[in-house]
Amino acid sequence: MKILDRGSSLLWLLFSLYAGIESFRLGIGTPTNPGMGFTAFGASGLLGILSFILFWQSMVRKGEATAPPVFSGSSWSKVVLVLIAILLYAFVMPGVGYLLGTFLLMSFLFWILSPGRVWRVLAYSFLTTTITYYVFAKLLNAQLPEGLLRF
Amino acid sequence: MKPTKAGFLLGVLLAMMPVVSHGQEYPTKPINILVTFAAGGTMDISTRALASKAEKFLGQPFVITNNGAGGGTVGLGIVAKERPDGYHLVAPTSSGFVRIPHFRPVAYKLEDFVPIMHFGAPQSGLVIRADSPWKSLKEFVEYAKLNPGKVTYGTLGVGSAMQHAMEYIAKKEGIRWTHVPYPGSAPALTALLGGHITAQSGDSTWIPHVKEGRLRLLAMHGDRRLKAFPEVPTLREQGYDFTNETVFMIAGPKGTPPAVVKKLDEALRRAMDDPAFLQAMAKLEIEPSYRNSEDTKKYLEEAYGRVGKLTAELKVPRDAEKKQ
Amino acid sequence: MGVIESLLLGFKVVLDPTNILFCFIGVVIGTLVGVLPGIGPVGAMALLLPATFKASPESSIIMLAGIYYGAMYGGSTTSILVNIPGEAASVVTCLDGYQMARQGRAGPALGIAAIGSFIAGTLSVVGVMLVANPLAEAALRFGPPEYFALMCSGLVILTYLAQGSVLKALMMALVGLLLGSVGLDIITGLPRFTFGVNELTDGVGIIPLAVGLFGISEVLINVEKTLETEILRTEITNVWPSLKDWAAAKWAVLRGSIIGFFLGTLPGGGAILSSFVSYAVEKKISKHPEQFGKGAIEGVAAPESANNAAAGGSLIPLLSLGIPPNVVMAMLFSALIIHGIQPGPLLIKNNPNLFWGLVASMYVGNALLLLLNLPLVGMWVQVLKVPSRVLFPLILLFCLIGAYSVNNLIFDLYLMIFFGGLGYLMRKFGYEAAPLVLAFVIGPVLEQALRQSLLISAGSLLIFVTRPISAVALGIAFLLLLSNLLPYFKKYRAEYEGFEE
């Protein structure tokens, strides 16, 4: 964890610096009349101090010297693919509509987790898409994008 | 891919095509109204009463939520950036347009909105706890004069008419008292009941508590006395040249289609005739008061100028918070 | 009229067939919206409100209240099964509930959640019945400084949620506070940290945040592992809580109920706060705190009892003062107004039928919920038999629909995906999400209380220690923080000295 902490604490330190500067610009005000950035400035200041402590600890604490394998040995590329897939979904779903968008997403997700069975993947996707559409849009009156037919 | 598979895929895709019945008229789904004050205050109660009675003319329910931060300016700021599809409305008081912008920067303009109508004129006044020693506004003012900075009063936000009423008195009498903003008249009332502030300058949410004898009403801000407490005089009658004139209104973001505005206006106006709505208004002594979309807009523009002139005369500091 | 007679009157009201039916509909719908992420009790109540106008005031209030406490029942289900909080008040249930499910103990977890909810719901009704008025008066004693002190204790308590480093938990809490300040400023109404994004004007939504950090990140972690193991394919040992489970959980249920009931009476996130507090209390007094976060049944029993008891407690300010403490109570409030009833100090005196009918209906409704939910446990457990290659895409889809349907905003999807990715990385680097979510929720309340207090005291911090309630709360917070940090420092010093040698 030590090496990991060193990196992550620096990231949080940067984040706290940024948030601190931003909240300072918003105006801290005075104790009598606290401004918009008052609490945010306090919080980012504390975060900065704590991240620094974590960083310092990671430097001086004894422990494992090498980074444990965070990503190796795992199929983390799939994680990235899944993230890209749902981002794409969010991007195109309003345009193509819930039904088509969801069908494509589910096909991809089912496929990436157990590739090779196209028929079953398509059948599952079809079922989940229609059933969720029925439950959410029809029974619960949720407003899912209608898509294509608007054009 | 084999033809059968392609065919299957095509079939699936076709089945995905949504079946939409065309030409459905607004509204086809529930309409959101964001009330710009916390739940339980007069604005909230009257909007909910109105909306519940307008539903039957529109065929869709209203979903009412509250955001009382910033004296109502947060709610307005949020809805100003909403989609103008007629499903995202805001219920503010006219103060948010005609009064607050004179005193501090806000995140929206009147031009960001299309007023739909206004439906009521609230009454506000100054209340203290019944166990406080002061029996009249005069005694209260005397105490505040002798004890600068001791008196705290709550309102529903910085820049509200209720704050200005207090600052007007302070200016005239040379008093220094402290304003504590709450996200609505209900939370401010709770704070007064709990004894966390000395007084509340707020709209008539306090009526039941005054009736019950927990609170004492010292002065009304409007141009008339309340029917429930005819013995309590207005500010004007007590020598302070200040009148709170506010209306409760409904608005949508700029670009809401005129047909939608018209439909909403009509449904809401018809709801104003409902006995249940009128009864809810009468309990809080809010006067039903109606203008349509265009007249409300004209009224707001005119009131903006008028309030601006008045406040310039009063010389209430521009950013009322700074001074404290 | 004594309590017994009054209660008999109430049961006479609720045992009317129409009212029983409304009560049943209410709790069923409540369970459903509780189970599904995104659509919460507020949306469901708003949709059903018009349907109640034609009914009597008693029927409509009974049904609307049923939706609320029904949703508290249902909220735990997805937390336990798939690590998606169905309601904000069930976030903390994810911690141990999901771990229990992974160990094949989803049945006992769901069972104890239902039973705990039943006991807590019933106890809170007794509370409403007996101490509504004095408690409402006590809640009034909480002004801005008291809130500030209470929220500070809340922040300290979250360090008890930490399974790993307390330092990191505190850091996450501060990140949560910063995220909570995104949006328009609560006093001036001007934008801050919105980066010019219109959708951020309203702040970061709790559903995209919580579902992203818990649900999406969980799926991502598992997607990464699917090749190696089918982790959810653990054997389901038993469907019902065993006697041993029950023995471990019974005091947690009781303590959770009491904490939930009292915190529920306070405005502003009472149900959420009480679920976190009760969890932290259990962990603190437990003989085996190291098991928390690894599937301790008390970690499910306490928060689930607390959020149900809070649902009962939050009725008190509404019924006895006429002040709704949260949005759900505002819906009840407006239903009363529309029926021409003024909620307030005189409600109980003027409308005994309504008040006692509601109280009695909550006894009946809680019993109905137990009858409804216990058989469902067996069904829910089957969900875990679904192979992970099918289950995980489905979970993702539910997260997406849930986050979208709150505001019908695509932006919320992006936000949720962002927090999903962040949550994934946070887990990899040993940061926990629970403190972040809690601080996010109480941040705005904390900030408002702080700024109001400083206005009242003219900038003097003494206001927090000269008022008894806030002084006590801050004192407790300080002691808790100290007792939590001391062993940490000791350990660190020992390590450091070891390093020197």
Side-chain angles (χ1 to χ4, degrees):
Chain A
M1 233 26 181
K2 190 178 135 180
I3 303 292
L4 293 183
D5 281 355
R6 199 173 295 170
S8 63
S9 63
L10 276 182
L11 277 180
W12 289 121
L13 191 62
L14 282 179
F15 173 73
S16 74
L17 279 177
Y18 170 74
I21 292 167
E22 276 295 304
S23 40
F24 187 77
R25 274 205 257 157
L26 285 172
I28 298 168
T30 59
T32 338
N33 180 25
M36 273 165 64
F38 187 72
T39 36
F41 186 76
S44 40
L46 272 175
L47 179 62
I49 295 170
L50 293 184
S51 350
F52 183 76
I53 295 179
L54 185 63
F55 175 72
W56 186 65
Q57 271 187 0
S58 72
M59 296 301 285
V60 298
R61 195 171 56 188
K62 63 167 184 161
E64 80 278 36
T66 51
V70 184
F71 296 113
S72 67
S74 54
S75 50
W76 62 274
S77 56
K78 272 192 187 175
V79 174
V80 177
L81 281 177
V82 167
L83 271 175
I84 291 174
I86 49 181
L87 272 173
L88 267 177
Y89 175 74
F91 188 68
V92 301
M93 198 262 279
V96 301
Y98 175 79
L99 289 170
L100 185 57
T102 307
F103 176 71
L104 293 176
L105 174 76
M106 293 314 280
S107 306
F108 174 78
L109 290 177
F110 284 134
W111 177 77
I112 198 170
L113 289 178
S114 62
R117 299 158 176 156
V118 178
W119 286 101
R120 206 163 75 181
V121 163
L122 291 180
Y124 277 162
S125 312
F126 181 75
L127 277 176
T128 49
T129 308
T130 43
I131 292 173
T132 50
Y133 182 75
Y134 181 75
V135 170
F136 282 93
K138 298 293 165 198
L139 288 183
L140 293 165
N141 213 4
Q143 302 296 317
L144 302 171
E146 302 281 1
L148 288 178
L149 285 195
R150 272 204 197 149
F151 297 124
Chain B
M1 199 182 270
K2 281 187 286 184
T4 44
K5 268 188 187 173
F8 176 76
L9 188 62
L10 192 66
V12 168
L13 290 182
L14 280 178
M16 290 289 128
M17 290 299 182
V19 190
V20 193
S21 48
H22 273 282
Q24 270 178 324
E25 258 185 60
Y26 172 89
T28 56
K29 56 183 184 183
I31 302 163
N32 296 300
I33 300 183
L34 180 63
V35 173
T36 62
F37 296 101
T42 50
M43 177 88 230
D44 177 64
I45 294 170
S46 54
T47 308
R48 285 174 192 270
L50 181 73
S52 71
K53 295 303 163 192
E55 281 169 357
K56 59 173 177 282
F57 304 120
L58 290 169
Q60 287 287 343
F62 286 95
V63 177
I64 296 181
T65 48
N66 305 75
N67 188 329
T73 57
V74 169
L76 281 166
I78 290 169
V79 178
K81 304 271 158 53
E82 270 292 356
R83 291 153 279 175
D85 52 6
Y87 294 103
H88 298 89
L89 308 180
V90 62
T93 64
S94 53
S95 273
F97 295 116
V98 307
R99 192 176 290 274
I100 298 178
H102 286 298
F103 299 95
R104 54 186 173 93
V106 290
Y108 58 87
K109 303 184 292 294
L110 175 56
E111 294 77 51
D112 293 337
F113 294 90
V114 182
I116 287 162
M117 50 93 75
H118 75 68
F119 62 90
Q123 296 295 321
S124 63
L126 177 65
V127 284
I128 54 172
R129 284 162 61 95
D131 57 11
S132 315
W134 316 290
K135 304 289 176 211
S136 67
L137 180 63
K138 203 165 158 257
E139 288 176 36
F140 183 62
V141 166
E142 284 303 312
Y143 172 82
K145 255 190 199 170
L146 293 175
N147 298 278
K150 269 261 171 80
V151 170
T152 53
Y153 70 94
T155 74
L156 44 65
V158 175
S160 60
M162 290 76 163
Q163 187 198 359
H164 292 156
M166 296 301 283
E167 293 308 322
Y168 179 80
I169 298 172
K171 181 120 188 107
K172 186 161 179 194
E173 302 284 354
I175 299 172
R176 194 162 58 80
W177 46 29
T178 306
H179 175 226
V180 185
Y182 285 85
S185 48
L189 176 67
T190 316
L192 177 64
L193 288 172
H196 306 290
I197 44 179
T198 329
Q200 185 205 359
S201 176
D203 51 54
S204 55
T205 314
W206 34 253
I207 286 181
H209 299 272
V210 177
K211 271 188 183 154
E212 210 214 350
R214 296 168 68 115
L215 298 179
R216 182 180 302 135
L217 177 61
L218 294 181
M220 290 303 302
H221 295 155
D223 52 5
R224 66 167 179 86
R225 299 185 178 199
L226 280 191
K227 291 187 197 87
F229 312 106
E231 70 285 359
V232 179
T234 63
L235 278 184
R236 204 172 279 279
E237 287 170 330
Q238 302 189 61
Y240 301 101
D241 191 19
F242 182 95
T243 309
N244 175 14
E245 177 198 318
T246 306
V247 291
F248 288 168
M249 53 180 288
I250 308 278
K254 175 183 70 185
T256 308
V260 168
V261 173
K262 191 158 168 280
K263 191 151 190 179
L264 283 167
D265 180 6
E266 198 176 295
L268 293 165
R269 182 182 49 75
R270 283 172 72 188
M272 284 181 66
D273 296 331
D274 192 289
F277 169 74
L278 292 171
Q279 197 201 354
M281 297 285 272
K283 275 198 176 145
L284 291 163
E285 300 216 20
I286 307 166
E287 266 172 48
S289 143
Y290 170 80
R291 277 190 180 91
N292 68 17
S293 173
E294 277 153 41
D295 292 347
T296 305
K297 193 170 167 88
K298 274 184 215 141
Y299 164 76
L300 290 175
E301 283 162 354
E302 177 264 329
Y304 179 81
R306 187 154 40 84
V307 173
K309 229 161 78 193
L310 270 176
T311 44
E313 282 164 22
L314 291 182
K315 296 202 183 66
V316 178
R318 188 177 141 72
D319 189 338
E321 254 205 336
K322 283 273 157 60
K323 177 182 69 66
Q324 282 155 9
Chain C
M1 202 159 47
V3 170
I4 303 292
E5 291 158 57
S6 309
L7 198 58
L8 283 177
L9 170 76
F11 273 107
K12 219 172 87 191
V13 173
V14 78
L15 291 179
D16 172 84
T18 326
N19 289 340
I20 280 264
L21 182 69
F22 270 91
C23 184
F24 182 72
I25 296 174
V27 296
V28 171
I29 291 173
T31 310
L32 188 65
V33 299
V35 169
L36 298 169
I39 300 163
V42 178
M45 287 165 90
L47 294 180
L48 284 167
L49 195 60
T52 66
F53 291 153
K54 293 199 181 65
S56 71
E58 287 85 7
S59 305
S60 59
I61 295 299
I62 284 171
M63 180 169 97
L64 293 173
I67 294 178
Y68 182 38
Y69 56 78
M72 290 297 158
Y73 260 76
S76 59
T77 309
T78 45
S79 299
I80 291 170
L81 293 176
V82 288
N83 208 25
I84 306 174
E87 282 299 311
S90 290
V91 166
V92 76
T93 310
C94 289
L95 299 181
D96 279 272
Y98 183 64
Q99 291 305 321
M100 284 182 73
R102 289 180 59 156
Q103 294 157 15
R105 291 174 20 91
L110 289 165
I112 205 75
I115 296 169
S117 296
F118 169 71
I119 295 173
T122 311
L123 284 177
S124 77
V125 185
V126 176
V128 170
M129 201 170 79
L130 297 177
V131 294
N133 276 328
L135 206 59
E137 295 297 321
L140 281 180
R141 306 291 308 154
F142 277 76
E146 285 77 16
Y147 269 103
F148 177 76
L150 190 71
M151 295 302 144
C152 280
S153 328
L155 279 179
V156 169
I157 275 168
L158 64 80
T159 59
Y160 288 90
L161 296 174
Q163 284 145 28
S165 155
V166 176
L167 182 64
K168 284 181 177 175
L170 280 172
M171 283 169 65
M172 287 304 98
L174 291 164
V175 173
L177 281 183
L178 286 171
L179 283 173
S181 64
V182 171
L184 294 182
D185 175 53
I186 48 169
I187 306 272
T188 64
L190 291 174
R192 65 180 175 186
F193 301 123
T194 58
F195 312 103
V197 179
N198 285 348
E199 287 90 343
L200 280 178
T201 314
D202 201 3
V204 175
I206 174 80
I207 293 289
L209 179 83
V211 172
L213 285 177
F214 284 92
I216 301 270
S217 76
E218 178 65 28
V219 173
L220 292 179
I221 289 277
N222 282 301
V223 163
E224 188 185 273
K225 290 177 188 159
T226 38
L227 276 187
E228 294 143 32
T229 44
E230 301 254 297
I231 43 100
L232 281 183
R233 279 246 161 153
T234 40
E235 201 181 325
I236 292 158
T237 44
N238 52 339
V239 174
W240 306 108
S242 64
L243 272 179
K244 211 177 111 219
D245 291 334
W246 176 241
K250 64 182 179 208
W251 293 112
V253 167
L254 200 65
R255 282 187 290 261
S257 307
I258 294 168
I259 292 169
F261 180 67
F262 285 102
L263 287 182
T265 58
L266 298 173
I272 302 169
L273 189 65
S274 68
S275 64
F276 277 94
V277 169
S278 62
Y279 182 89
V281 166
E282 287 312 313
K283 190 174 174 187
K284 178 71 188 162
I285 63 175
S286 169
K287 288 195 190 77
H288 46 84
E290 71 287 349
Q291 282 178 26
F292 277 75
K294 300 194 181 79
I297 196 159
E298 301 96 309
V300 176
E304 278 307 311
S305 308
N307 69 27
N308 263 64
S314 63
L315 280 169
I316 289 181
L318 176 72
L319 294 175
S320 58
L321 295 172
I323 294 159
N326 57 37
V327 191
V328 178
M329 288 300 119
M331 306 291 302
L332 280 183
F333 185 89
S334 66
L336 288 169
I337 294 278
I338 289 155
H339 284 291
I341 293 165
Q342 176 74 46
L346 301 173
L347 180 112
I348 303 178
K349 214 187 296 168
N350 294 346
N351 305 81
N353 272 9
L354 182 100
F355 178 78
W356 292 103
L358 177 62
V359 167
S361 86
M362 288 171 72
Y363 283 113
V364 176
N366 274 300
L368 286 175
L369 276 170
L370 191 66
L371 290 176
L372 186 76
N373 278 280
L374 280 185
L376 282 179
V377 168
M379 194 193 90
W380 288 125
V381 171
Q382 302 302 315
V383 170
L384 296 182
K385 290 191 180 154
V386 176
S388 59
R389 62 170 192 281
V390 177
L391 188 60
F392 289 129
L394 284 178
I395 296 175
L396 270 183
L397 182 61
F398 276 110
C399 292
L400 288 165
I401 299 176
Y404 177 77
S405 59
V406 182
N407 290 318
N408 300 332
L409 267 183
I410 289 297
F411 180 77
D412 282 348
L413 291 186
Y414 288 124
L415 209 56
M416 182 185 70
I417 296 167
F418 170 77
F419 284 116
L422 181 71
Y424 171 75
L425 290 176
M426 276 166 57
R427 282 182 190 215
K428 286 277 173 187
F429 288 86
Y431 294 90
E432 290 162 60
L436 193 158
V437 175
L438 175 64
F440 173 82
V441 171
I442 66 182
V445 187
L446 182 96
E447 182 180 8
Q448 178 170 320
L450 175 66
R451 285 166 71 172
Q452 281 174 340
S453 304
L454 289 177
L455 281 174
I456 290 176
S457 73
S460 162
L461 290 172
L462 281 177
I463 189 170
F464 298 115
V465 289
T466 50
R467 303 187 29 151
I469 299 177
S470 77
V472 169
L474 279 179
I476 292 174
F478 185 69
L479 286 178
L480 285 175
L481 187 66
L482 216 59
S483 82
N484 207 2
L485 286 182
L486 270 184
Y488 184 73
F489 280 128
K490 270 187 197 149
K491 192 175 122 222
Y492 169 70
R493 247 180 77 185
E495 267 184 23
Y496 188 71
E497 274 157 15
F499 180 72
E500 296 264 281
E501 285 159 17

